[in-house]
Amino acid sequence: MIAPHPDVLALIAAGRTAGSLPFEAMAPEQARQAYAARRPLVQEPPDQVAELRNITIDGPGGPLPLRLYRGAGTDRDAILPCLIYLHGGGWVLGNLDSHDGICCRLANEAQCCVVAVDYRLAPEHRFPAAVEDCAAALNYISQQAKTLRIDPSRIAVGGDSAGGNLAAVLSLMARDGQLPQVLHQVLLYPAVDLSVEGESYKATTVGMTITPATMRYFIDHYAPDPASREDWRSSPLKSSSLAGAPSALVMTCGHDPLREEGRAYARRLEQEGVPVTTLHMSAHTHGMLTLSKVISASAGVLAFIGAHLRDVFNVAHQNVRGVDQA
């Protein structure tokens, strides 16, 4: 196994020195507070964007908050492609603020509109609540594309970790005609099989940002009924067919219990005729993209994702990330 990157080792050492508890040692509300408290320590401030505004729509469980970003340098009246972004956090943690930095950066790098979804969290709202909320958001964005100044033929879905899981599920639902069409899916170290602990659960280095115990904690809160983990809407790798799914970018990390299932999903997509771009960061750990202050590679990876999306969306690069970086 490839040794962890020095940035990853430094992060682990700092957490050990600070006496940080793993999420699984805390009740969900405590874990959410700890997750939010760590954010300014590990994330750079978000880039400036051309527009940022909050929207609330009617969701299946009540009001559903969204946050819309338009990339810096884009024209106010331009009809932009859109990435619907679904945050990570094991279906238990995270919100619009936790992934603000990723959304701003991707809006700028891809010169697109990004819409983030504040879906309901477990254990208060278990599977399939998150799926239902994300599906409602995709429906709304597609139906209101003209008002939102979005091109409905260029809508992608993406997310990290649990958000990658939800993006994969929406992609299959769209393929099956249950949701509006999706052009592309961006799956960043996704969870795609909640029912099986793969080989990478055994090989993951102890003390990483996410460990097998952490994943069990998240899955037990989100899908406590083992039968629900066999449902492809919680475990998209269980789908009988991935053929006809939208093209995909799949990113995995070497020191991550989700490594092997993410790589298996990419292989299946390709084997079943879906165009796939893969990126494997063998020396890095789960969650690296929300660790921009401590993992130096995160900026380059987000730039790569942005360039990839520009290619998918067929848009020119304006070389703008935010006025603070000009």
Side-chain angles (χ1 to χ4, degrees), residues 22 35 49 57 129 136 153 165 195 254 267 326:
Y35 188 59
V49 292
I57 68 172
S153 70
N165 167 282
S195 68
R267 286 193 300 272

Side-chain angles (χ1 to χ4, degrees), residues 4 7 25 37 69 87 129 157 161 209 211 223 232 256 261 277 279 305 320:
D7 287 353
Y69 309 77
H87 69 78
V157 293
S161 191
T209 53
T211 66
W232 66 265
D256 181 358
E261 61 195 76
T277 298
L279 174 64
I305 297 167
V320 178

Side-chain angles (χ1 to χ4, degrees), residues 66-139:
L66 311 178
R67 183 171 292 170
L68 181 145
Y69 309 77
R70 289 172 67 89
T74 60
D75 187 270
R76 185 186 184 283
D77 296 320
I79 305 301
L80 298 180
C82 178
L83 171 67
I84 299 174
Y85 196 85
L86 313 172
H87 69 78
W91 310 275
V92 174
L93 314 176
N95 52 31
L96 296 178
D97 294 333
S98 65
H99 287 64
D100 205 44
I102 286 183
C103 292
C104 287
R105 179 61 60 89
L106 289 178
N108 289 347
E109 291 283 2
Q111 292 289 279
C112 72
C113 177
V114 172
V115 181
V117 182
D118 198 11
Y119 57 85
R120 287 172 290 169
L121 299 177
E124 297 88 345
H125 306 284
R126 294 169 173 163
F127 170 80
V131 174
E132 294 169 347
D133 283 356
C134 295
L138 174 53
N139 272 321

Side-chain angles (χ1 to χ4, degrees), residues 23 26-39 93:
F23 294 126
M26 296 180 268
E29 191 52 44
Q30 291 176 297
R32 290 168 191 156
Q33 293 169 6
Y35 188 59
R38 293 173 191 173
R39 188 166 65 246
L93 314 176

Side-chain angles (χ1 to χ4, degrees), residues 5 21 43 53 63 67 73 83 105 121 198 210 241 265 294 309 311:
H5 189 281
L21 290 174
Q43 290 187 23
R53 61 188 170 100
R67 183 171 292 170
L83 171 67
R105 179 61 60 89
L121 299 177
I210 295 292
S241 173
Y265 200 72
V294 291
L309 282 169
D311 180 58

